[in-house]
């Protein structure tokens, strides 16, 4: 490759920070700032700065691996590996039916890969059994946003609006550690005279920056939002004209909120009545305000209702569909937004179309050149699919995910993966999940391939290839092409990402997430384009994209936003005598998701070498635990052991564990797979445990 800088984007979180990559003479890759990109304006976190370390890592896979008769993974040629996968998938389908074959994707796959994977599952395999790990990320916010506004896009406004609003309530989010370059927006908000309210059971680095920190008991965010709405009504702060002109369902939602009076909410949440009143005052005082949620309120068995309650607060005060106001979700994974728009989710077709919509099926089938009736219906959600492995689903193709570490009730999921008749995994490294596979395919990663992603603002971006992949490594699109060909579908799976994107444009045209007016040329020239961006008519100028949604009307049939009539209910698993403490999980600054890549970067491992159990001094004193003592955290699903980290920055009734590590300290051994009835999101954020010193 020429020794010149290539403008591209970080492989990690949903900010998709801009960066420049320059190959050096010694084979390494240098990361440079890209101040022209508006999202991060040149700033990068430690993960972004060290991302090229994985490109040349000794842990990198450079040859397909197949399971030998002796049970070991041994190197093999590409033809042998692809033949084995295709043969196993075809045999399973022939013997047990199409739905005995499953596909599991990832929120880090490019739009082109997510689109091709969904098409492969439905056209080549004919299976309904496809979902992806993004179900574990923002699905509750997506469900609530769709119910309220008729459309889900993580942020309905660009990040640049945050410093210009008057108040932000940040619920269950710690951007200082999960997406550090975004923290500047909240810092600038306060510098401009605005206020920041952080809702989190821990006093995180983000909470330390807040004007007001509310620390509710895990699993009670729904009651907190309802209590604030009660006070909005009681104190006469409802924007009655806005509610009448732009919303529906207010009377039912108001009645539900009025059952959550402040003292009752204080007993549930642990947040005092004066704090509740102060939060309402700060939120309602300025002309414009926002509520932003992340995994805290969303990863609950009532996550959709919880997000709906926070949206209610915005609607009742006239803070949605107006400039510098609104509800938004801080999407987590790199392509978490685009990954759920183009067909790798169990119930969706490209363009964010519903798989159950006859018109959507007709349109997409026309692009694919198949009979609409041949497309399977909706399949199982992510955890339900993983739970069905080895019983109903006997063979699995997995791309871009590591559920052995990232799934709830992870020991059970690992057991289900081991029980499969056949498992094929495409990955960059031998992840904990790949180590269980019958065939492992080494695939390219971000800097070695071109493709598009969609960041948390709905900004479609172009990642450019900057370096040549190692010999023996192929792209995921090449994998799908090779498998489709072997399974009798010779056309329809091109290996060039731009060709795939051109088809994606046609498939998305007219859908909620319309990309038809976007092409690679525009993406290269414009620093991204916000969807929806429909194709213009003849001789019409290009559509500019839509950075701000809902300013004129919401995306519902009548243009009105919908209130959610919701009430607080307990978590799926409350503490009791046997399991008296609450566990919540999350991320740390130096690691990312299941850690499959970041745990292979020396600098990041030095900063965050392993799991820990964060607990309050009062709980530590009751246990007789000192800093660094090994603590066993036990739930109804298993046991994890990690060193104690004692801090006053957490509630005394709660412990926290990061989820990036496998083995003895695997936090997701403990977590509860209880599912939200709408989003099918597991309850990662709260379960009952007991804690003891591990002697």
């Amino acid at each position: 490759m020429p020794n010149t800088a290539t403008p591209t984007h970080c492989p990690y979180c949903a900010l998709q920070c801009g960066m420049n990559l320059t190959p050096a003479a010694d084979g390494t890759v240098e990361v440079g700032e890209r101040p022209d990109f508006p999202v991060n304006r040149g700033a990068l976190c430690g993960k972004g700065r060290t991302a090229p370390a994985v490109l040349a890592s000794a842990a990198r896979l450079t040859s397909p691996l197949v399971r030998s008769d002796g049970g070991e993974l041994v190197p093999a040629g590409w033809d042998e590996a692809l033949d084995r996968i295709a043969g196993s998938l075809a045999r399973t389908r022939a013997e047990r039916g199409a739905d005995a074959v499953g596909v599991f994707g990832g929120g880090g796959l490019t739009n082109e890969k997510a689109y091709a994977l969904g098409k492969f599952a439905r056209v080549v395999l004919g299976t309904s059994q496809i979902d992806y790990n993004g179900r574990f990320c923002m699905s509750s916010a997506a469900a609530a946003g769709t119910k309220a506004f008729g459309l889900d896009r993580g942020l309905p406004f660009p990040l640049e609006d945050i410093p210009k609003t008057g108040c932000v309530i940040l619920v269950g989010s710690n951007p200082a550690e999960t997406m550090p370059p975004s923290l500047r927006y909240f810092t600038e908000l306060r510098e401009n005279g605005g206020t920041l309210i952080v809702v989190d059971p821990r006093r995180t680095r983000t909470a330390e920056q807040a004007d007001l920190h509310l620390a509710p008991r895990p699993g009670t965010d729904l009651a907190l939002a309802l209590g604030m709405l009660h006070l909005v009504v009681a104190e006469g702060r409802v924007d009655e004209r806005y509610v009448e002109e732009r919303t529906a369902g207010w009377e039912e939602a108001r009645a539900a909120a009025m059952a959550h009076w402040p003292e009752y909410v204080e007993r549930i949440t642990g947040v005092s009545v004066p704090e509740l009143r102060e939060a309402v005052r700060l939120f309602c005082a300025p002309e414009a305000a926002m509520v932003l949620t992340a995994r805290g309120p969303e990863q609950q068995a009532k996550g959709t209702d919880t997000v709906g309650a926070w949206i209610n607060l915005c609607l009742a005060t006239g803070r949605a569909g107006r400039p510098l106001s609104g509800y938004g979700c801080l999407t987590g994974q790199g392509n978490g937004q685009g990954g759920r728009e183009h067909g790798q989710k169990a119930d969706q077709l490209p363009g964010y179309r519903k798989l159950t919509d006859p018109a959507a099926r007709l349109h997409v089938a026309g692009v694919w050149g198949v009979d609409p009736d041949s497309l399977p219906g909706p399949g199982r959600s992510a955890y339900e699919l993983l739970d069905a492995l080895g019983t109903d689903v006997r063979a699995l193709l997995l791309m871009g995910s590591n559920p052995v570490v990232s799934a709830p009730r992870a020991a059970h999921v690992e057991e289900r993966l081991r029980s499969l008749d056949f498992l094929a995994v495409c990955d960059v490294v031998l992840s904990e999940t790949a180590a269980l596979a019958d065939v492992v395919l080494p695939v390219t990663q971000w800097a070695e391939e071109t493709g598009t992603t969609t960041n948390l603002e709905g900004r479609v971006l172009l990642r450019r290839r900057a370096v040549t992949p190692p010999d023996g490594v192929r792209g995921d699109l090449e994998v799908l092409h090779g498998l489709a060909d072997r399974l009798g579908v010779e056309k329809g799976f091109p290996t060039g990402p731009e060709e795939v994107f051109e088809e994606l444009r046609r498939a998305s045209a007219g859908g909620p997430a319309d990309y038809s007016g976007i092409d690679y040329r525009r993406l290269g020239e414009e620093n991204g384009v916000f969807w929806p961006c429909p194709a213009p008519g003849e001789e019409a100028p290009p559509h500019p994209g839509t950075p701000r949604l809902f300013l004129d009307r919401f995306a519902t049939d009548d243009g009105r936003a919908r209130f959610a009539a919701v009430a607080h209910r307990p978590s799926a698993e409350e503490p009791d005598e046997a399991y008296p403490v609450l566990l919540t999980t999350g991320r740390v600054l130096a690691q990312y998701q299941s850690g499959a890549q970041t745990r292979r970067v020396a600098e990041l491992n030095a900063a965050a070498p392993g799991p820990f159990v964060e607990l309050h001094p009062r709980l530590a004193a009751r246990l007789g635990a000192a800093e660094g003592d090994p603590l066993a955290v036990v739930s109804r699903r298993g046991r994890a052991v990690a060193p104690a980290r004692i801090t006053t920055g957490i509630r005394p009734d709660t412990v926290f564990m990061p989820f990036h590590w496998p083995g003895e300290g695997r936090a997701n051994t403990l977590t509860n797979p209880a599912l939200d009835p709408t989003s099918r999101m597991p309850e990662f954020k709260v379960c009952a445990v007991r804690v003891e010193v591990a002697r």
Side-chain angles (χ1 to χ4, degrees), residues 185-234:
Y185 292 102
F186 302 101
T187 302
E188 291 169 5
L189 164 73
R190 300 184 69 219
E191 290 172 349
N192 292 341
T195 55
L196 175 63
I197 301 170
V198 171
V199 179
D200 199 306
R202 304 168 61 223
R203 188 163 182 80
T204 62
R205 297 184 189 186
T206 304
E208 289 173 354
Q209 309 298 313
D211 297 279
L212 178 64
H213 172 214
L214 306 179
R217 183 175 178 268
T220 64
D221 310 86
L222 175 53
L224 182 67
L226 289 165
M228 290 182 65
L229 182 56
H230 178 111
L231 287 171
V232 165
V233 175

Side-chain angles (χ1 to χ4, degrees), residues 230-243:
H230 178 111
L231 287 171
V232 165
V233 175
E235 295 175 0
R237 299 179 185 272
V238 176
D239 188 331
E240 301 285 359
R241 181 174 178 180
Y242 173 93
V243 168

Side-chain angles (χ1 to χ4, degrees), residues 430-466:
L430 192 67
S431 69
E432 288 73 23
T433 303
L436 305 180
D438 297 285
V439 178
V440 183
L441 299 180
V443 291
T444 52
Q445 54 175 310
W446 63 291
E448 300 163 350
E449 58 188 13
T450 295
T452 63
T453 62
T454 307
N455 81 344
L456 75 171
E457 308 165 294
R459 187 194 300 257
V460 185
L461 304 166
L462 182 63
R463 277 193 198 161
R464 297 172 175 89
R465 174 170 160 159

Side-chain angles (χ1 to χ4, degrees), residues 403-411 583-588 593-594 599 610-614 631-642 655-673 683-689:
V404 166
V405 179
S406 62
R409 197 186 173 196
L583 168 71
T584 192
T585 63
R587 287 169 49 188
V588 297
Q593 304 300 73
S594 75
R599 284 187 275 113
F612 56 86
V613 180
E614 188 175 278
L631 293 183
V633 183
V634 184
S635 77
R636 289 177 173 85
R637 290 153 295 280
R639 179 178 188 266
V641 179
V655 294
F656 166 83
M657 290 187 72
F659 58 74
H660 309 289
W661 289 272
E664 187 179 49
R666 181 174 60 185
N668 277 320
T669 297
L670 309 167
T671 48
N672 190 355
E683 192 153 63
F684 286 99
K685 286 301 179 187
V686 53
C687 69
V689 298

Side-chain angles (χ1 to χ4, degrees), residues 153 458 460 501 505 508-519 522-523 526 528-536 541-547 549:
R153 196 180 82 185
V460 185
F501 189 79
R505 291 175 63 195
S508 74
D514 190 336
Y515 283 32
S516 59
I518 305 172
D519 58 30
R522 283 192 68 179
L523 294 178
E526 299 182 29
V529 179
F530 291 86
W531 72 260
C533 182
H543 190 284
T546 314
L549 297 170

Side-chain angles (χ1 to χ4, degrees), residues 59 83 108 132 134 185 231 274 369 397 542 586 663 675 688 692:
D83 287 346
Y132 79 127
Y185 292 102
L231 287 171
L397 173 65
L675 301 180
E692 53 205 23

